[in-house]
Amino acid sequence: MPKAVEKTVKIGVLGASGYTGAELLRLLIRHPGVEIALLTAERRAGQHMRQVFPQFSPYALPKLLAIDAVDWKAEALDLAFCALPHATTQTVIKDLLAAAPTTKVVDLSADFRLADTAAYARWYGHEHHAPELQKEAVYGLPEIYRQKIKAARLVANPGCYTTCAELPVIPLLSAKAIDPDAIVIDAKSGMTGAGRGAKEEMLFSEVAEGFHAYGVGHHRHMAELDQEFSRAAGREVIVSFTPHLLPINRGIFSTIYVRGLKTSADGLHAILSRAYAGEPFVHLLPFGEMPQTRHVRGSNMIFIGVTKDRIDGRAIICAALDNLAKGASGQAVQNMNLMLGFPETLGLEQVALFP
Amino acid sequence: MPKAVEKTVKIGVLGASGYTGAELLRLLIRHPGVEIALLTAERRAGQHMRQVFPQFSPYALPKLLAIDAVDWKAEALDLAFCALPHATTQTVIKDLLAAAPTTKVVDLSADFRLADTAAYARWYGHEHHAPELQKEAVYGLPEIYRQKIKAARLVANPGCYTTCAELPVIPLLSAKAIDPDAIVIDAKSGMTGAGRGAKEEMLFSEVAEGFHAYGVGHHRHMAELDQEFSRAAGREVIVSFTPHLLPINRGIFSTIYVRGLKTSADGLHAILSRAYAGEPFVHLLPFGEMPQTRHVRGSNMIFIGVTKDRIDGRAIICAALDNLAKGASGQAVQNMNLMLGFPETLGLEQVALFP
Amino acid sequence: MPKAVEKTVKIGVLGASGYTGAELLRLLIRHPGVEIALLTAERRAGQHMRQVFPQFSPYALPKLLAIDAVDWKAEALDLAFCALPHATTQTVIKDLLAAAPTTKVVDLSADFRLADTAAYARWYGHEHHAPELQKEAVYGLPEIYRQKIKAARLVANPGCYTTCAELPVIPLLSAKAIDPDAIVIDAKSGMTGAGRGAKEEMLFSEVAEGFHAYGVGHHRHMAELDQEFSRAAGREVIVSFTPHLLPINRGIFSTIYVRGLKTSADGLHAILSRAYAGEPFVHLLPFGEMPQTRHVRGSNMIFIGVTKDRIDGRAIICAALDNLAKGASGQAVQNMNLMLGFPETLGLEQVALFP
Amino acid sequence: MPKAVEKTVKIGVLGASGYTGAELLRLLIRHPGVEIALLTAERRAGQHMRQVFPQFSPYALPKLLAIDAVDWKAEALDLAFCALPHATTQTVIKDLLAAAPTTKVVDLSADFRLADTAAYARWYGHEHHAPELQKEAVYGLPEIYRQKIKAARLVANPGCYTTCAELPVIPLLSAKAIDPDAIVIDAKSGMTGAGRGAKEEMLFSEVAEGFHAYGVGHHRHMAELDQEFSRAAGREVIVSFTPHLLPINRGIFSTIYVRGLKTSADGLHAILSRAYAGEPFVHLLPFGEMPQTRHVRGSNMIFIGVTKDRIDGRAIICAALDNLAKGASGQAVQNMNLMLGFPETLGLEQVALFP
């Protein structure tokens, strides 16, 4: 194994009682290069992880702390994962980096994803609480921003919906191969994407044996798509995007309708093939084959398929990933590996769990 | 209760061992105007329904016969529901109507849905076996073709995907309110839509906890959409349509992306509101509210919602129905009621089963 | 139809925003003899049912009230269903019957099921708030207490677990055909049995794709089993009982291990067959066949199966019902029918919804 | 890492197109000590694994062969996993070991689990086809037979139901702490335990949203339980055992009712605690806590809980494992590790996937 693995780095997980926190632990417990040194969870402070997530019962882990009880300087973390709610995040990271400026941070919230302070204020209804850090933050999509991530102190881990739309679409926009004004993204997500908050509409009996759309026409993930698609296209891009809730735990599936500009559907496939050759976590299926969420469950993979529509000049692209893995915590560990000099795939080699 | 109910009509269900057959029985057992006189099921001939579907164990029902053992003339059915596989259907109905020309037929297969013999041959790869009956058949979407259905001898019950796309879109095309060249239909179906045939890809462990698209770019339901949308628009309409499989038993959900021609999203809502005023089984939600499949489960309802996209001039329409009820057997009973002079809602009053 | 149906009675549902409330409405909307005159829901007071349960959107229903806003005398209800939380129930029913003594009540909570005030205090940790009514209340298991229910003003609707254990076991205890000291009941329930309260452990992602036991060794339903089993046996009976949670919406399944006292397994089957001959909602399967929850979903049926164990002198009995129907609201309507002189099956004829 | 890992051994998987085959591949692809040299699958011979299980699409694996096309001597496998159907297995292993006597075999079928040829013939209705090998085979429950397994050439991997019942019960029988004549095992299994054969009763729509028992009173797994329980108790033990099907993919849950002989429930807990101290894959929960299948999903762990019943002298023990992991392929890899001199936990360190 590579030399980097021999050194052990100190890692903290802020917000360990949610699903992305649990997924970080699942991966980090078996990551050969890290020591899990700090865990926080506000309402569960003082408890053991086994009381919050019994699957960790066999493992020795630090007790859960409240964030206010943490001395960032004394902890001297090499890196902190921040899996906290929107807005709280901004204050916590600001405090953390003020006290321990050499600690690196991967933030799993949406708080540092938008580079434009005006766009942030428009979508979230208030000024950003840490605008300096907002400027510093690097958007953590490794396949697009690998070099910047390696050098970053603060990485904004992308959203699950957006990862599953950006990876298949960005290379096509960059190549000016599709019409930027005629992109329709119909997205479907498993329930863990909605978090662990106890809400009536998330109860088993409200979700099982049914399906619905939500946030139609105005979902916040759109801001992130706008930003990355516009960067790729070199002009403003606004897409139709509809999120839906699937009665499954894990999985995001994007069905993407595009119109080619001179490029045929197999030409689009070829562009993606070139863009992702050698990428360990992006798997492009043979032309005409389509992915399924179940085949990436628990892995850090995104599977992408491209086929032609029966209408000339149009193509349909489908992408599938595990929203907790490549859509959140897996990608966060991938970013950590880049930021700390580990091999990019370290601790992320799990084969998908199917069935 | 209306007078029509007092007379009892003799009904047969051909293909009673599949899911649409079972759903017909669920409805017909409690329909006050009918007697279930004949049940067929090829591989289960000689068995009782309780061996095929134990939920019918408490009810007295005729034994299952093979179709070859049936004397159509002697049976003297008032109406037969035909829930048989593609192609077989054409021969069986031809024989049935030759022997018993006064029996009426509601066919739940796709065999008589296409009026154009050339379109049929193109999509199905062979000439139709009963072209005369193909001409006679009426497309059984009651909200659109009610008067024709009342007078029909042979009704082709629409597909589940198509019902869930046609009801929300046809009035908009008829009113020339949307661009016929920019319709994208992203459709999702529960597993019962795939039938009861024992196939590996339909096993519980292949389906649960996952999601995927299938038949992308070339699904046969498109032929039916083309026909009905073109009729409504008065010109050729071809749409982008992608079906997906949901890990649920019952439910179809259509997410439909349209572009208005001078008409705003709330204008589209108003058109649908006028089109379906007084319809017992079409429920238009208030503007901006979206349906869920679970709220129509087991009922003969379709729920439709309309909202505006954030992109000016575009709207998103969602529709939900139960693929076995309004998408198949419920609609078939609705057609039967029209054909036999019963009140249209008779036996179809079930309130949705949620949770 | 029988004469009783022609008269319309005024019905109230207290606690209409929970699952048993919704199931009552599903049944009562189509019940030909009743008018739904009053609906209450504390936290949703002022709202329409369609905001609480969108499946009722097509139906005209009274607005939701807070209980304090109700004048019981003025309402002059013929019967009120009480689907309120434990303890609150006692006070509400006491007030209601004080103000409107001729209103009848079917209570779906556990508050009036135990006849013994000492047993109540022991299991619930406090004295009963309405001991006079506790004495008056009749245990609402129609197949066992039909005559008493007909004459009752206050009926305590049995629990879902207990109905699914008592119906298969009581006739065997009454006939002294099984050893009362060697009964093991392993029970499994769908999630709707846990109600609609927003709790973390009831979230979709906590429940789907998993299974567990709960309340092992000390579940409150045991008190009710003790009471009814002891009544049937004419001596004290205490059973081993373990409840489990199934990742399904509806359904209770009991696997019951018994030892015969001189009676063989088919002898036990014969006893149940005699006990339930003619019962419209108890369906005993042929000896050796076992029920499935899916075959009773949405119906008011209990299916019971009996087979012999491979160990001589032992039998295994399985029973399945829909916890919201025969396990709660269906049985409550059955009790209402008895109390108000309707035919017992009126409004409860739905055939099970499978698949 | 230990020295053993450096050497690479050649492994074959016979029957790679089923679920236990896929699970073996999931684990072996990441096992640092093995090379996957041979894969067979009769009906899929000539295909790539990606056509059979698309989750393996990113990995280079040998093409699928038919068994008849394999030259066992030339392959010179160090070890073969045999995941073939009952009966076929006996012939294949006989031929394999005749041709390549130094190849070791872990058999995942039931064919070599029963040591008694008479018991085999009684339960399976025919003489064993390889009685010599039946004598040679070692029962592969590592926590009980570790030393024998290390020395074995042919290991019979235990069944999933039986592993989940034997591990919690065997130490109690060995210690004569429970009444061997009063054990009731109520077992529930996820659907993958039923395999990948396309059968109607295993379709998604037949299984989802429901629950049932099967094989009540006469399931073949009982033979294996009888053998191991009788060995442990030193006398004949026959238990009441009922299997049920859960609408989940992975997971076995056993609810076990026992009566102590002088030993209290916490005494039973103490016996298990001593028996499994230091075992890497058996996790005993604190007294009174109960396991859940979801907390072991995808891991090789069994979680066990013990509590007292409310009836004096009785205890309830619950156990949960993943039927494809510790219940089949994980345990098979554990056996391989023992047989080939690898550290026992190598390649089996995955933390459970929850949610």
Side-chain angles (χ1 to χ4, degrees):
Chain A
M1 278 192 193
K3 204 169 164 215
V5 183
E6 289 171 20
K7 91 166 194 265
T8 288
V9 299
K10 286 181 69 184
I11 298 294
V13 175
L14 316 185
S17 62
Y19 292 143
T20 52
E23 183 74 352
L24 283 167
L25 286 186
R26 180 177 77 91
L27 298 170
L28 294 172
I29 284 172
R30 294 310 188 203
H31 191 289
V34 309
E35 177 204 345
I36 301 168
L38 172 74
L39 300 176
T40 81
E42 297 311 289
R43 279 172 307 147
R44 313 299 289 265
Q47 297 188 12
H48 293 279
M49 271 308 284
R50 64 178 301 279
Q51 298 171 269
V52 177
F53 281 112
Q55 73 265 32
F56 298 121
S57 190
Y59 308 102
L61 290 167
K63 260 198 182 181
L64 293 164
L65 300 180
I67 282 176
D68 283 350
V70 179
D71 177 341
W72 300 117
K73 195 176 160 68
E75 288 289 344
L77 298 173
D78 291 281
L79 186 141
F81 292 100
C82 192
L84 297 172
H86 167 61
T88 306
T89 299
Q90 294 164 31
T91 315
V92 169
I93 292 181
K94 198 169 152 184
D95 293 350
L96 187 165
L97 290 178
T102 60
T103 296
K104 298 184 174 185
V105 174
V106 178
D107 178 32
L108 286 86
S109 84
D111 278 18
F112 291 96
R113 291 180 195 154
L114 295 189
D116 179 16
T117 51
Y120 180 87
R122 192 169 65 248
W123 281 94
Y124 290 94
H126 65 90
E127 297 299 306
H128 202 285
H129 303 316
E132 293 309 310
L133 292 174
Q134 193 187 357
K135 277 173 217 153
E136 177 186 338
V138 170
Y139 189 73
L141 197 57
E143 290 77 10
I144 308 295
Y145 299 109
R146 184 168 284 120
Q147 296 314 318
K148 284 189 178 175
I149 293 165
K150 283 184 180 174
R153 183 174 67 154
L154 170 57
V155 163
N157 212 56
C160 46
Y161 277 123
T162 45
T163 297
C164 199
E166 289 168 8
L167 287 174
V169 170
I170 283 176
L172 307 181
L173 285 171
S174 299
K176 306 204 183 307
I178 55 172
D179 178 354
D181 294 324
I183 301 170
V184 172
I185 301 174
D186 196 273
K188 301 90 177 172
S189 172
M191 280 302 297
T192 53
R196 207 188 195 189
K199 294 178 192 157
E200 183 183 285
E201 70 265 27
M202 289 163 56
L203 294 178
F204 180 86
S205 298
E206 303 287 319
V207 173
E209 262 291 304
F211 182 77
H212 65 286
Y214 68 101
V216 185
H218 55 76
H219 193 279
R220 277 178 180 172
H221 275 290
M222 293 175 183
E224 206 179 326
L225 287 178
D226 291 354
Q227 169 179 291
E228 296 303 315
F229 285 174
S230 300
R231 278 182 186 170
R235 48 155 282 192
E236 189 179 47
V237 179
I238 299 180
V239 301
S240 289
F241 170 82
T242 307
H244 303 75
L245 271 183
L246 288 167
I248 65 174
N249 285 324
R250 289 169 178 254
I252 301 242
F253 192 94
S254 306
T255 311
I256 305 171
Y257 300 83
V258 298
R259 301 188 185 199
L261 296 170
K262 292 171 276 176
T263 315
S264 62
D266 52 356
L268 301 181
H269 186 266
I271 291 169
L272 291 174
S273 180
R274 280 192 299 273
Y276 295 126
E279 283 294 345
F281 298 124
V282 182
H283 183 68
L284 184 69
L285 294 165
F287 183 69
E289 287 188 22
M290 286 298 176
Q292 309 196 10
T293 62
R294 49 185 73 76
H295 298 141
V296 295
R297 179 164 61 232
S299 84
N300 199 46
M301 289 277 173
I302 180 172
F303 277 22
I304 302 176
V306 181
T307 198
K308 63 183 165 66
D309 194 2
R310 61 178 184 144
I311 303 176
D312 279 345
R314 299 193 194 176
I316 299 168
I317 304 170
C318 294
L321 54 74
D322 180 328
N323 57 294
L324 288 181
K326 182 62 178 167
S329 304
Q331 185 146 274
V333 171
Q334 189 181 351
N335 280 317
M336 175 196 81
N337 283 340
L338 290 171
M339 294 162 80
L340 297 182
F342 291 121
E344 189 168 340
T345 59
L346 198 65
L348 295 171
E349 303 91 343
Q350 290 85 353
V351 180
L353 190 82
F354 172 76
Chain B
M1 280 192 190
K3 205 172 163 215
V5 183
E6 288 171 20
K7 88 163 196 266
T8 289
V9 299
K10 286 181 69 183
I11 299 293
V13 175
L14 316 186
S17 62
Y19 293 143
T20 53
E23 183 74 351
L24 283 167
L25 287 187
R26 181 176 78 92
L27 298 169
L28 294 173
I29 284 172
R30 294 309 188 202
H31 191 291
V34 309
E35 177 206 344
I36 301 168
L38 172 74
L39 299 175
T40 80
E42 297 310 290
R43 277 172 308 148
R44 314 299 290 262
Q47 298 188 11
H48 293 279
M49 270 309 283
R50 64 179 300 278
Q51 298 170 270
V52 176
F53 281 112
Q55 73 266 32
F56 298 120
S57 189
Y59 309 102
L61 289 167
K63 261 199 180 178
L64 293 164
L65 300 180
I67 282 178
D68 282 350
V70 179
D71 177 341
W72 301 116
K73 194 175 160 69
E75 288 288 344
L77 299 172
D78 291 281
L79 186 142
F81 291 100
C82 193
L84 297 172
H86 167 62
T88 305
T89 299
Q90 294 164 30
T91 314
V92 168
I93 293 182
K94 197 167 152 187
D95 292 351
L96 187 164
L97 290 178
T102 60
T103 296
K104 297 184 176 186
V105 174
V106 177
D107 179 32
L108 286 88
S109 85
D111 279 18
F112 291 96
R113 292 179 194 154
L114 296 189
D116 179 14
T117 50
Y120 180 87
R122 192 169 64 248
W123 281 94
Y124 290 94
H126 66 90
E127 297 299 308
H128 201 285
H129 303 318
E132 293 308 311
L133 293 173
Q134 194 187 357
K135 276 171 219 154
E136 178 187 338
V138 170
Y139 190 73
L141 198 58
E143 290 77 10
I144 309 295
Y145 298 109
R146 183 168 284 121
Q147 297 315 317
K148 282 190 180 175
I149 293 165
K150 283 184 180 175
R153 183 175 66 152
L154 170 58
V155 163
N157 212 56
C160 47
Y161 277 123
T162 45
T163 297
C164 199
E166 288 168 8
L167 287 173
V169 171
I170 282 177
L172 307 180
L173 285 171
S174 298
K176 305 205 183 305
I178 55 172
D179 178 354
D181 294 323
I183 301 170
V184 172
I185 300 174
D186 196 273
K188 300 89 177 172
S189 173
M191 278 303 296
T192 53
R196 206 188 197 190
K199 294 178 193 158
E200 184 183 284
E201 69 266 26
M202 289 163 58
L203 294 178
F204 180 86
S205 297
E206 304 287 318
V207 172
E209 263 291 303
F211 182 76
H212 65 286
Y214 67 101
V216 185
H218 55 78
H219 193 279
R220 278 178 179 173
H221 275 290
M222 293 175 181
E224 208 179 324
L225 287 178
D226 291 354
Q227 168 180 292
E228 296 303 315
F229 285 176
S230 299
R231 278 182 186 169
R235 49 155 281 192
E236 188 178 49
V237 178
I238 300 179
V239 301
S240 289
F241 171 82
T242 306
H244 303 73
L245 271 182
L246 288 167
I248 66 174
N249 285 323
R250 288 168 178 255
I252 301 244
F253 192 93
S254 306
T255 310
I256 304 171
Y257 301 84
V258 299
R259 302 187 182 199
L261 298 170
K262 293 172 273 177
T263 316
S264 64
D266 53 355
L268 302 182
H269 186 266
I271 291 170
L272 291 174
S273 181
R274 281 191 299 274
Y276 295 124
E279 283 293 345
F281 297 124
V282 182
H283 183 68
L284 184 69
L285 295 164
F287 184 70
E289 288 187 23
M290 286 299 175
Q292 308 196 10
T293 61
R294 49 183 74 75
H295 299 140
V296 293
R297 181 166 55 233
S299 85
N300 199 46
M301 290 278 174
I302 180 172
F303 276 24
I304 302 176
V306 181
T307 197
K308 64 181 165 69
D309 194 3
R310 60 179 184 145
I311 304 177
D312 279 346
R314 299 192 194 178
I316 299 168
I317 304 170
C318 294
L321 54 75
D322 181 328
N323 57 295
L324 289 181
K326 183 62 176 166
S329 305
Q331 184 144 276
V333 171
Q334 189 180 351
N335 280 318
M336 175 196 80
N337 284 340
L338 290 170
M339 294 162 80
L340 297 182
F342 292 121
E344 188 169 339
T345 60
L346 198 66
L348 295 170
E349 302 92 345
Q350 290 86 352
V351 180
L353 189 84
F354 171 77
Chain C
M1 278 191 192
K3 205 170 162 214
V5 183
E6 289 171 19
K7 89 165 196 267
T8 289
V9 300
K10 287 183 68 184
I11 299 293
V13 175
L14 316 185
S17 61
Y19 292 142
T20 53
E23 182 75 350
L24 283 166
L25 286 186
R26 181 176 76 92
L27 298 170
L28 294 172
I29 283 172
R30 294 308 189 203
H31 191 291
V34 309
E35 177 205 345
I36 301 168
L38 173 73
L39 299 176
T40 81
E42 297 311 289
R43 278 171 307 147
R44 313 299 290 264
Q47 297 189 12
H48 293 279
M49 269 309 284
R50 64 178 300 280
Q51 299 170 269
V52 177
F53 282 111
Q55 73 265 33
F56 298 121
S57 191
Y59 309 102
L61 290 167
K63 260 199 181 179
L64 294 164
L65 300 180
I67 282 177
D68 283 350
V70 179
D71 177 341
W72 300 117
K73 195 177 160 68
E75 287 287 345
L77 298 173
D78 291 281
L79 186 141
F81 291 100
C82 193
L84 297 171
H86 168 62
T88 306
T89 299
Q90 295 163 30
T91 315
V92 169
I93 292 181
K94 198 169 153 185
D95 292 352
L96 187 163
L97 290 179
T102 61
T103 297
K104 298 184 175 185
V105 174
V106 177
D107 179 32
L108 285 87
S109 84
D111 279 18
F112 292 96
R113 291 180 194 154
L114 295 189
D116 179 15
T117 51
Y120 179 88
R122 192 169 65 248
W123 281 95
Y124 290 94
H126 66 89
E127 297 299 307
H128 202 283
H129 303 318
E132 293 309 310
L133 291 174
Q134 194 187 357
K135 277 173 217 151
E136 179 187 338
V138 170
Y139 189 73
L141 197 58
E143 291 76 9
I144 309 294
Y145 299 108
R146 183 168 284 120
Q147 296 315 317
K148 284 189 179 174
I149 293 164
K150 284 185 180 174
R153 183 175 67 154
L154 170 57
V155 162
N157 212 54
C160 46
Y161 277 124
T162 46
T163 298
C164 200
E166 288 168 9
L167 286 174
V169 171
I170 283 177
L172 306 181
L173 285 170
S174 298
K176 306 203 183 306
I178 55 172
D179 178 354
D181 294 324
I183 301 170
V184 172
I185 300 174
D186 196 272
K188 301 91 179 173
S189 172
M191 279 303 296
T192 53
R196 206 186 196 191
K199 294 178 192 156
E200 183 183 285
E201 69 266 27
M202 288 163 57
L203 294 178
F204 180 86
S205 298
E206 304 287 319
V207 172
E209 262 292 305
F211 183 78
H212 65 285
Y214 68 101
V216 185
H218 55 77
H219 193 278
R220 276 176 180 175
H221 274 290
M222 293 174 183
E224 207 179 325
L225 287 179
D226 291 355
Q227 169 179 291
E228 295 304 314
F229 285 174
S230 300
R231 278 182 186 169
R235 47 154 282 191
E236 189 179 48
V237 178
I238 300 179
V239 301
S240 289
F241 170 82
T242 306
H244 303 75
L245 272 183
L246 287 168
I248 66 174
N249 285 324
R250 289 167 177 255
I252 301 244
F253 192 94
S254 306
T255 311
I256 304 171
Y257 301 84
V258 298
R259 302 187 183 199
L261 298 169
K262 291 173 274 175
T263 316
S264 63
D266 53 354
L268 301 181
H269 186 266
I271 291 169
L272 291 173
S273 180
R274 280 192 299 273
Y276 295 126
E279 283 294 345
F281 297 124
V282 182
H283 182 69
L284 183 69
L285 295 164
F287 183 70
E289 288 187 22
M290 286 299 176
Q292 309 196 10
T293 62
R294 49 185 72 77
H295 298 139
V296 295
R297 180 165 59 231
S299 85
N300 199 46
M301 289 277 174
I302 180 172
F303 276 22
I304 303 176
V306 181
T307 198
K308 63 183 165 68
D309 195 2
R310 60 179 185 146
I311 304 176
D312 279 345
R314 299 192 194 176
I316 299 168
I317 303 170
C318 293
L321 54 74
D322 181 328
N323 57 295
L324 289 180
K326 182 63 177 166
S329 305
Q331 186 146 274
V333 171
Q334 189 181 352
N335 280 318
M336 175 196 80
N337 284 340
L338 291 170
M339 295 163 80
L340 297 181
F342 291 122
E344 189 169 340
T345 60
L346 198 65
L348 295 171
E349 303 90 345
Q350 290 86 353
V351 180
L353 190 82
F354 171 76
Chain D
M1 278 193 191
K3 203 170 165 215
V5 183
E6 289 171 20
K7 89 163 194 268
T8 288
V9 299
K10 287 182 67 183
I11 298 293
V13 175
L14 316 185
S17 61
Y19 293 143
T20 52
E23 183 74 351
L24 283 167
L25 286 187
R26 181 176 78 92
L27 298 170
L28 294 173
I29 284 172
R30 293 311 187 203
H31 191 291
V34 309
E35 177 205 344
I36 301 170
L38 171 74
L39 299 175
T40 80
E42 297 310 291
R43 277 172 307 148
R44 314 299 290 264
Q47 297 188 12
H48 292 279
M49 270 309 283
R50 64 179 301 278
Q51 297 170 270
V52 177
F53 282 111
Q55 73 265 32
F56 297 120
S57 190
Y59 309 102
L61 289 168
K63 262 200 181 178
L64 293 164
L65 300 181
I67 282 178
D68 283 350
V70 180
D71 177 341
W72 300 116
K73 195 176 161 68
E75 288 288 345
L77 298 173
D78 291 282
L79 186 141
F81 291 100
C82 192
L84 297 172
H86 167 61
T88 304
T89 299
Q90 294 164 30
T91 314
V92 168
I93 293 181
K94 197 168 150 186
D95 292 351
L96 187 165
L97 290 179
T102 61
T103 297
K104 297 183 175 188
V105 174
V106 177
D107 179 32
L108 286 87
S109 84
D111 279 19
F112 291 96
R113 291 178 194 154
L114 296 189
D116 179 14
T117 50
Y120 180 88
R122 192 169 65 249
W123 280 95
Y124 290 94
H126 65 89
E127 298 299 308
H128 202 285
H129 302 318
E132 294 308 310
L133 292 174
Q134 194 187 357
K135 277 172 217 152
E136 179 186 338
V138 170
Y139 190 74
L141 198 57
E143 290 78 10
I144 309 294
Y145 298 109
R146 184 168 284 121
Q147 296 315 319
K148 282 189 181 176
I149 293 166
K150 283 184 181 174
R153 183 176 66 154
L154 170 58
V155 163
N157 212 54
C160 46
Y161 277 124
T162 45
T163 297
C164 199
E166 289 167 7
L167 287 174
V169 171
I170 282 177
L172 307 180
L173 285 171
S174 298
K176 306 203 184 307
I178 56 172
D179 179 354
D181 294 324
I183 301 170
V184 172
I185 301 175
D186 196 272
K188 301 89 178 173
S189 172
M191 279 302 297
T192 52
R196 207 186 195 190
K199 294 178 193 158
E200 184 182 286
E201 70 265 26
M202 288 163 57
L203 294 179
F204 180 86
S205 297
E206 304 287 319
V207 172
E209 262 292 301
F211 182 76
H212 65 285
Y214 67 101
V216 185
H218 54 77
H219 193 278
R220 277 178 179 173
H221 275 290
M222 294 174 179
E224 208 178 324
L225 287 179
D226 291 355
Q227 169 179 292
E228 295 304 314
F229 285 175
S230 299
R231 278 182 186 169
R235 47 152 284 190
E236 189 178 47
V237 179
I238 300 179
V239 301
S240 289
F241 170 82
T242 307
H244 303 73
L245 271 182
L246 289 166
I248 65 174
N249 285 323
R250 288 168 177 256
I252 301 244
F253 192 94
S254 306
T255 311
I256 304 171
Y257 300 84
V258 298
R259 302 188 183 197
L261 298 169
K262 293 172 274 175
T263 316
S264 63
D266 53 355
L268 301 181
H269 186 266
I271 291 169
L272 291 174
S273 181
R274 281 192 300 273
Y276 295 126
E279 282 296 344
F281 297 123
V282 182
H283 183 68
L284 184 69
L285 295 164
F287 184 70
E289 289 188 22
M290 285 299 175
Q292 309 195 9
T293 61
R294 50 184 72 76
H295 298 140
V296 294
R297 181 166 56 234
S299 84
N300 199 46
M301 289 277 175
I302 180 172
F303 276 24
I304 302 176
V306 181
T307 197
K308 64 181 165 68
D309 194 2
R310 61 180 184 144
I311 303 177
D312 279 345
R314 298 193 196 177
I316 299 169
I317 304 169
C318 293
L321 54 75
D322 181 328
N323 57 294
L324 289 181
K326 183 62 177 167
S329 305
Q331 185 144 274
V333 171
Q334 190 180 351
N335 280 317
M336 176 197 80
N337 284 340
L338 291 170
M339 293 162 81
L340 297 183
F342 291 121
E344 188 169 340
T345 60
L346 198 66
L348 295 171
E349 303 91 345
Q350 290 86 353
V351 179
L353 189 84
F354 171 75

